[in-house]
Amino acid sequence: MRIALSAAGLAAFSAIVSAVVIPPTPVVQAPALYGQQAAQGGPGSATSVQAPIQYVQLQPGQTAPPGATVVDSSARPAAAAAPAAPVPAPALKPIIIRTTQSGKVIP
């Protein structure tokens, strides 16, 4: 009985020590898909995602990096280059119902 108890204690001690000493391995998850790729079949589909356009205003004396497209700030962007901005939904006014402690509605 003593040998069985000591073997069980040694196994429990070994499990606890290995859980404390060995750091857990990170879990790598597949990237989440949003938008067109998720709706049309996932990562194997032939759709392409267009990168967002980043506009930067240069300070006086600065020059654009090589390969950058320079757009005059007074020029209007082309209709095909910039998608139409979504119309924001009208703000809803919250409905506040005042009641007494008994639950009677106060007008």
Side-chain angles (χ1 to χ4, degrees):
M1 190 66 175
R2 288 180 186 171
I3 295 173
L5 186 60
S6 63
L10 184 61
F13 178 73
S14 173
I16 292 173
V17 169
S18 65
V20 171
V21 174
I22 299 173
T25 57
V27 177
V28 179
Q29 296 179 352
L33 299 175
Y34 298 103
Q36 293 178 351
Q37 279 189 340
Q40 295 181 358
S45 63
T47 60
S48 64
V49 178
Q50 183 179 6
I53 299 172
Q54 180 180 6
Y55 292 99
V56 177
Q57 186 172 2
L58 299 175
Q59 299 296 325
Q62 286 184 329
T63 58
T69 304
V70 179
V71 179
D72 187 15
S73 63
S74 62
R76 295 187 74 183
V87 177
L92 299 175
K93 184 178 178 183
I95 300 172
I96 300 173
I97 301 173
R98 295 177 44 206
T99 61
T100 61
Q101 187 173 1
S102 63
K104 182 179 177 183
V105 178
I106 300 173

